[in-house]
C-alpha cells in the first residue's frame, strides 16, 4: 500500500522486511539535517530502507549538542522525506543513554521518551550498557542493572506507543570502553544471557548493539593522524550473532561507529545479515564541514577558531586536527543559525555530496532493493 504522507514507518517493519537477507540498513545520525534530503534521494533511487537517528547527547529536550529537540528533529526530517517523496524510513532514537540508573535519571529519561513518541519516533535504542557491574560473580549479576533498566524503559515505550509497532534496539557492552589490554569486547554468552533475560521480562529487541572493536568517530595513530581501518572484530561479531541464532533469540546486530571504516572493507568483509543495522554518524557531519571549507570559508574559519579556543586547553599534546575533529560537533549548536542559513549553492553541494556518499554506503551495505521488501509489509 502506498504511504501517502511519507512519514516514518516502524523500525520493526523494516527489520521484518529484511529478515533473512544479507543486508545492512544504514542508520544516519544527521546532526546537521541538511544532509537528509541527499540521503533520502539516494535511498529512493536505490530502493534502500534507511533509519534517520540522533542520540540523546545529540538531541534532547534542551536541544542536545545539535540544538535540536525531538520535535524539531522530527519536523525537519519529515519535511525532507516529503520533499523527496520517500516512504521507507524509520525515525530512531539512538543511544537513549542511562548512566546511573537512579530514579531521577529514569524520570528524566521518561520525559525524553514522551517527547520522542509525541514527535512521531518509530524506533528506540535503550542504552543502559554503562550499568555494568564489574563486581558481579557471573554474567547475570554483571548485567542485572542493565536488564532491569532496559526492561523498565522498554515497557514504558510500549505503553506510550499505545499498540503501535516500533523498533527496539538494546545495548550490551559499552562501545569503545577500554581496559589495560585494549577495547573490551562483548562475549557471545553475555549477549545470549542479556537477550534471554529481556525476553523473559516480555521485552523482544530487534537489534542488539555490542562492543566489537569499533569506536565512535575517527580513530587516530600515535602521531594524531586519522587511521582508516577495519577495527571491528569480525569473528567475534559472527560468534555473537551465531550464539543468538542458535538460541532462537531473533535479534540481529547493530553496528555502531562505522565512520572511518573504508567502504570496500565493509562491502567485502562485514557479516551482512548478522549485522542488520549500520550506524553512520560523524561521517555526515564531515560532509557538511568539508563542504563549508570551500563554499563557506568564513563560517568554517569561525567554527574552527571557536572549537580550538574552547577545547585546546583540555587536550594538551593533541594536534589541532584531532581536537577539531573530536569537538567540532559542539559548534553545531553555537553556530546553529549560520549553519542553517548558508547560500543555496552550499546546500546543493551538501545534498549532492550526501547523495553520492549514501549511494556508496547503500551499495557496500547491500541494501539496494530493501525498501520494496519493507513496503510490502506497510499497511
Ligand atoms: Zn553509537
Amino acid at each position: 500500500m502506498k504511504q501517502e504522507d511519507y512519514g516514518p514507518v516502524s523500525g520493526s517493519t523494516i527489520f521484518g522486511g529484511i529478515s533473512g537477507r544479507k543486508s545492512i540498513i544504514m542508520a544516519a545520525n544527521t546532526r546537521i539535517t541538511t544532509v537528509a534530503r541527499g540521503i533520502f534521494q539516494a535511498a529512493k533511487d536505490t530502493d534502500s530502507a534507511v533509519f534517520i537517528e540522533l542520540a540523546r547527547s545529540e538531541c534532547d529536550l534542551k536541544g542536545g549538542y545539535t540544538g535540536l529537540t525531538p520535535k524539531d528533529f522530527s519536523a525537519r526530517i519529515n519535511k525532507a522525506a516529503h520533499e523527496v517523496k520517500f516512504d521507507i524510513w524509520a525515525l530512531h532514537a539512538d543511544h537513549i543513554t542511562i548512566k546511573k540508573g537512579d530514579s531521577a535519571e529514569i524520570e528524566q529519561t521518561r520525559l525524553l521518551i514522551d517527547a520522542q513518541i509525541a514527535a512521531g519516533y518509530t524506533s528506540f535504542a535503550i542504552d543502559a550498557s554503562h550499568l555494568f557491574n564489574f563486581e558481579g560473580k557471573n554474567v547475570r549479576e554483571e548485567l542485572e542493572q542493565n536488564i532491569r533498566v532496559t526492561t523498565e524503559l522498554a515497557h514504558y515505550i510500549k505503553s506510550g506507543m499505545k499498540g503501535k509497532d516500533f523498533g527496539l534496539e538494546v545495548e550490551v557492552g559499552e562501545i569503545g570502553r577500554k581496559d589495560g589490554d585494549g577495547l573490551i569486547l562483548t562475549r557471545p554468552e553475555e549477549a545470549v544471557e542479556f537477550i534471554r533475560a529481556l525476553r523473559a521480562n516480555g521485552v523482544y529487541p530487534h537489534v542488539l548493539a555490542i562492543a566489537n572493536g569499533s569506536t565512535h568517530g575517527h580513530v587516530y595513530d600515535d602521531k594524531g593522524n586519522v587511521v582508516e581501518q577495519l577495527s571491528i572484530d569480525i569473528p567475534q561479531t559472527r560468534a555473537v550473532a551465531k550464539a543468538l541464532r542458535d538460541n532462537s533469540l531473533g535479534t540481529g546486530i547493530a553496528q555502531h561507529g562505522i565512520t572511518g571504516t573504508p567502504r570496500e572493507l565493509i562491502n567485502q568483509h562485514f557479516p551482512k545479515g548478522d549485522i542488520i543495522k549500520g550506524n553512520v554518524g560523524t561521517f555526515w557531519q564531515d560532509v557538511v564541514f568539508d563542504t563549508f571549507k570551500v563554499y563557506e570559508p568564513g563560517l568554517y574559519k569561525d567554527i574552527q577558531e571557536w572549537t580550538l579556543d574552547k577545547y585546546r586547553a583540555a587536550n594538551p599534546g593533541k594536534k589541532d586536527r584531532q581536537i577539531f575533529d573530536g569537538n567540532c560537533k559542539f559548534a553545531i549548536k553555537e553556530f546553529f543559525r549560520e549553519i542553517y542559513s548558508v547560500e543555496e549553492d552550499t546546500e546543493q553541494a551538501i545534498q549532492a555530496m550526501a547523495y553520492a556518499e549514501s549511494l556508496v554506503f547503500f551499495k557496500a551495505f547491500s541494501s539496494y532493493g530493501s525498501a520494496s521488501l519493507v513496503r510490502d509489509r506497510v499497511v
Side-chain angles (χ1 to χ4, degrees):
M1 201 175 112
K2 187 98 183 92
Q3 201 211 338
E4 297 294 346
D5 64 354
Y6 305 104
V9 302
S10 168
S12 60
T13 312
I14 293 180
F15 293 127
I18 62 152
S19 174
R21 303 272 169 163
K22 299 221 171 298
S23 291
I24 301 170
I25 301 301
M26 180 169 79
N29 296 61
T30 55
R31 291 174 191 163
I32 299 167
T33 56
T34 315
V35 294
R37 263 183 79 151
I39 294 171
F40 279 141
Q41 190 64 54
K44 185 178 180 180
D45 292 352
T46 62
D47 193 31
S48 294
V50 69
F51 283 74
I52 304 289
E53 63 182 28
L54 285 179
R56 181 178 199 164
S57 55
E58 296 168 320
C59 169
D60 64 14
L61 294 168
K62 291 181 180 157
Y65 64 69
T66 65
L68 297 168
T69 64
K71 190 177 172 211
D72 301 330
F73 181 55
S74 175
R76 285 162 178 269
I77 301 304
N78 271 282
K79 182 165 177 277
H82 201 268
E83 284 166 355
V84 171
K85 299 193 180 353
F86 181 65
D87 56 349
I88 304 300
W89 62 285
L91 187 62
H92 180 80
D94 185 26
H95 289 287
I96 302 176
T97 304
I98 297 91
K99 290 193 171 163
K100 291 182 291 206
D102 58 22
S103 57
E105 192 184 26
I106 298 289
E107 187 49 37
Q108 284 303 311
T109 307
R110 286 169 180 251
L111 295 175
L112 174 65
I113 289 169
D114 290 345
Q116 290 167 336
I117 292 173
Y121 281 50
T122 58
S123 192
F124 303 83
I126 302 165
D127 175 11
S129 63
H130 295 258
L131 303 178
F132 191 87
N133 177 11
F134 287 93
E135 261 94 70
K137 287 194 268 310
N138 52 46
V139 174
R140 183 57 188 246
E141 282 186 20
E142 287 170 342
L143 300 178
E144 198 67 53
Q145 292 305 312
N146 189 349
I147 293 164
R148 176 183 66 81
V149 169
T150 302
T151 298
E152 186 183 338
L153 292 175
H155 285 306
Y156 188 74
I157 293 168
K158 190 173 182 190
S159 70
M161 290 298 280
K162 297 187 170 53
K164 269 193 287 183
D165 271 346
F166 60 93
L168 182 64
E169 178 176 336
V170 295
E171 185 158 336
V172 68
E174 187 188 329
I175 293 157
R177 189 199 283 263
K178 292 180 178 175
D179 66 9
D181 300 325
L183 290 165
I184 304 169
L185 304 184
T186 303
R187 291 163 287 141
E189 59 269 29
E190 267 179 279
V192 168
E193 181 74 29
F194 185 56
I195 299 296
R196 196 181 269 153
L198 291 175
R199 288 172 73 102
N201 290 346
V203 174
Y204 302 91
H206 305 97
V207 266
L208 174 66
I210 59 172
N212 62 353
S214 72
T215 47
H216 291 113
H218 293 287
V219 177
Y220 297 86
D221 65 14
D222 295 341
K223 297 195 177 83
N225 299 311
V226 174
V227 183
E228 278 206 331
Q229 60 175 351
L230 184 59
S231 64
I232 83 158
D233 187 325
I234 304 268
Q236 181 92 356
T237 307
R238 282 191 197 280
V240 171
K242 181 174 184 302
L244 291 168
R245 239 190 338 265
D246 289 350
N247 287 280
S248 307
L249 294 174
T251 306
I253 306 288
Q255 182 63 49
H256 286 235
I258 288 178
T259 296
T261 308
R263 266 104 34 122
E264 67 275 21
L265 295 183
I266 296 173
N267 189 32
Q268 289 161 21
H269 300 298
F270 263 36
K272 301 170 195 174
D274 285 347
I275 295 171
I276 59 174
K277 175 171 178 276
N279 289 14
V280 183
T282 305
F283 186 96
W284 300 112
Q285 171 188 285
D286 294 347
V287 162
V288 176
F289 287 164
D290 282 346
T291 307
F292 283 176
K293 283 179 192 170
V294 172
Y295 281 78
E296 305 283 343
L299 175 57
Y300 184 77
K301 191 161 171 281
D302 289 347
I303 289 173
Q304 204 176 25
E305 282 175 0
W306 180 88
T307 305
L308 292 176
D309 279 356
K310 199 165 163 75
Y311 295 99
R312 205 180 255 136
N315 292 282
K318 279 193 188 167
K319 278 189 175 177
D320 280 358
R321 164 81 200 272
Q322 193 173 354
I323 298 168
F324 180 73
D325 280 358
N327 298 290
C328 61
K329 61 190 182 187
F330 300 114
I332 298 172
K333 192 185 227 169
E334 184 72 18
F335 291 88
F336 190 90
R337 199 174 46 78
E338 292 88 341
I339 286 171
Y340 286 108
S341 56
V342 292
E343 296 294 330
E344 204 178 318
D345 60 348
T346 310
E347 288 209 356
Q348 268 175 11
I350 290 168
Q351 285 162 10
M353 292 283 285
Y355 176 84
E357 297 289 4
S358 294
L359 292 183
V360 182
F361 274 115
F362 293 145
K363 189 72 179 173
F365 286 179
S366 300
S367 69
Y368 281 35
S370 57
S372 283
L373 297 172
V374 176
R375 200 172 286 114
D376 293 342
R377 294 175 167 244
V378 176
V379 284

